[in-house]
Amino acid sequence: MDVAATFSTGAELFAGLITISGIAYNALALLGARAFVRDTRTARKAAPFLPSVSILKPVKGIDPRMYAGFVSHCQQQYGGEFEIVFGVSSLDDPAVAEIVRLREEFPNVAIQLIECAQRMGTSGKVSNLIQMLPAAQFEHIVVNDGDILVGPQYLTEIMRPFADAKVGLVTAPYIGLSTRTTWSKLEALGISTDFMPGVLTARKLEGSIRFGLGSTLATTKTALATIGGFESLVDQLADDYELGARLAAQGYRVELAPEVVETDVPAYTLRGYLDHQLRWARSTRDSRRAGYIGLGITYVLPWAVLAVVASGAALWSIALLSFALFVRVTVALTIGVGLLKDVQVIRDLWLLPLRDFSGLFIWGWSYSSDVIVWRGEKFRLHQGKLERVAEEAK
């Protein structure tokens, strides 16, 4: 057998095995979704736990759906007491006018506005949280971004797991809302059909999750103090991941609540999409190095296409591609639409192959460097921390 034939056979075998592994991963994601639904039904049989809650919302600037998100927090059907603490770096921030408007519209909701004038580390968000926390009246705190939109039972569902004193963090699934550019649609599709299935798979394999999602980070002041407070996270890029990982290391459980929240996906250009996806990918790679290596097999469609090409369109490879597509679509519809209620998945289902190909490309590219672009600035990611990259002399 000549070298070319040997290489072709090797590529055929490799692509076929990776495709089968990807199919197995997708099947595991479906089992993870089933386990999550079952556990949710069991948890909801217990009486709700209704402690007083401080919602901390660091904000900067105005996002398209931001005010609607603010309103959704004020309209909670919650049996306990709650307050909302907003934090801005400057009282000149345009978001301040929206917070004033919110106070006028909801005079019965306790709303605080804190000016966080100090920059205490690389992360402006965490820097604000450090300065906001002393103003929070209550032991239980919930942190989420300014553009997060929630349902009326949000606090009820997020607080429910805290009935168990071993729970140190509760986080929530989310979907991205996008009706604009193709690139923003690709990111939103990825959240519902790649990222959240990955979270459910991790939960299935590990018995729980050991990280947080930025859509919701609910904890207690007591638990937070065991890891050194927000101060310990101020130079971390993936502060949400690190919060969950560090609390888990302290012996606390991290729970995924069944309450799905919504966030806004910007109208990305191709460049913006690649910058954001690379930042996300390199952050994940830095946080979960071993698990991230296996992420490449989850993009099953490119591997199935490679098997078809390498085998010269052999019948078995075409059958494998068909089955891979069937499983991939099943995961997208079952988790994206059925579990997360993201109807955009149906609209954008035709983009699924492009999402898989771009995801695999970004996964590979993420290993080429430690540099990320964040808010227009370049940083080098080192053990979760951000180090500013000096501009090259012209």
Side-chain angles (χ1 to χ4, degrees):
M1 185 179 291
D2 60 25
V3 174
T6 301
F7 178 80
S8 177
T9 301
E12 181 181 345
L13 181 61
F14 176 77
L17 289 174
I18 295 294
T19 302
I20 292 170
S21 299
I23 290 171
Y25 164 82
N26 279 274
L28 189 58
L30 292 172
L31 291 175
R34 181 181 179 183
F36 180 63
V37 171
R38 182 190 62 238
D39 293 345
T40 295
R41 288 172 180 166
T42 300
R44 282 177 171 166
K45 292 178 181 178
F49 180 63
L50 304 170
S52 298
V53 185
S54 295
I55 303 173
L56 307 185
K57 293 186 74 68
V59 294
K60 182 178 182 180
I62 297 178
D63 296 313
R65 297 185 178 95
M66 187 180 74
Y67 191 74
F70 290 177
V71 169
S72 70
H73 287 74
C74 292
Q75 294 177 330
Q76 288 301 293
Q77 297 172 6
Y78 184 61
E81 187 178 1
F82 73 94
E83 66 171 349
I84 307 175
V85 182
F86 290 96
V88 293
S89 298
S90 167
L91 293 179
D92 293 328
D93 193 295
V96 171
E98 298 294 86
I99 297 167
V100 171
R101 173 186 168 194
L102 191 73
R103 278 175 165 170
E104 294 172 351
E105 188 173 347
F106 296 94
N108 296 325
V109 177
I111 298 174
Q112 297 188 61
L113 174 60
I114 307 298
E115 182 180 20
C116 309
Q118 293 180 276
R119 186 61 180 257
M120 308 182 77
T122 307
S123 173
K125 168 190 167 183
V126 180
S127 180
N128 283 9
L129 286 172
I130 294 169
Q131 297 166 79
M132 294 162 65
L133 187 61
Q137 298 182 61
F138 306 123
E139 167 71 3
H140 288 79
I141 59 173
V142 174
V143 177
N144 61 31
D145 292 336
D147 65 341
I148 294 293
L149 190 146
V150 303
Q153 297 299 316
Y154 173 71
L155 282 181
T156 301
E157 295 296 341
I158 295 301
M159 287 297 111
R160 189 188 297 274
F162 285 108
D164 184 345
K166 294 180 180 179
V167 173
L169 182 72
V170 178
T171 193
Y174 67 99
I175 63 173
L177 299 180
S178 173
T179 57
R180 288 165 284 180
T181 68
T182 298
W183 308 111
S184 63
K185 290 177 181 178
L186 272 184
E187 176 149 316
L189 186 66
I191 293 170
S192 293
T193 67
D194 292 341
F195 180 70
M196 288 312 306
V199 171
L200 294 172
T201 301
R203 183 181 183 274
K204 175 68 175 176
L205 289 174
E206 299 176 13
S208 66
I209 59 175
R210 300 177 63 84
F211 50 86
L213 307 178
S215 55
T216 292
L217 297 167
T219 186
T220 64
K221 291 180 179 178
T222 300
L224 189 59
T226 66
I227 64 166
F230 287 126
E231 288 86 348
S232 67
L233 306 173
V234 75
D235 290 317
Q236 298 287 325
L237 172 62
D239 55 89
D240 49 357
Y241 176 90
E242 284 295 328
L243 178 59
R246 295 182 186 196
L247 286 172
Q250 291 294 321
Y252 286 103
R253 273 213 332 270
V254 179
E255 292 288 344
L256 183 67
E259 184 73 8
V260 180
V261 304
E262 299 175 357
T263 187
D264 188 60
V265 178
Y268 287 120
T269 60
L270 173 59
R271 185 71 210 179
Y273 171 74
L274 291 175
D275 283 345
H276 188 255
Q277 288 291 304
L278 270 175
R279 187 177 83 229
W280 204 349
R282 286 174 177 158
S283 171
T284 305
R285 186 203 70 196
D286 193 75
S287 301
R288 293 173 64 91
R289 290 187 178 274
Y292 187 75
I293 293 173
L295 183 65
I297 70 167
T298 68
Y299 303 109
V300 66
L301 296 182
W303 296 113
V305 170
L306 178 59
V308 171
V309 173
S311 68
L315 184 60
W316 69 265
S317 67
I318 294 174
L320 191 63
L321 173 60
S322 300
F323 189 58
L325 182 60
F326 169 76
V327 171
R328 188 74 178 88
V329 170
T330 299
V331 168
L333 295 179
T334 301
I335 297 178
V337 181
L339 184 60
L340 302 177
K341 310 302 180 188
D342 184 2
V343 295
Q344 298 173 125
V345 172
I346 299 175
R347 180 198 68 192
D348 298 329
L349 197 61
W350 66 279
L351 290 171
L352 204 56
L354 179 57
R355 171 60 204 175
D356 268 20
F357 274 89
S358 68
L360 183 60
F361 171 74
I362 289 165
W363 172 79
W365 191 9
S366 70
Y367 283 101
S368 67
S369 170
D370 291 325
V371 174
I372 64 166
V373 177
W374 192 23
R375 294 178 179 172
E377 295 184 80
K378 286 186 177 181
F379 296 88
R380 178 167 284 106
L381 190 60
H382 178 64
Q383 295 182 346
K385 293 187 176 182
L386 295 174
E387 301 171 353
R388 186 171 273 103
V389 176
E391 293 292 332
E392 295 181 2
K394 294 182 180 180

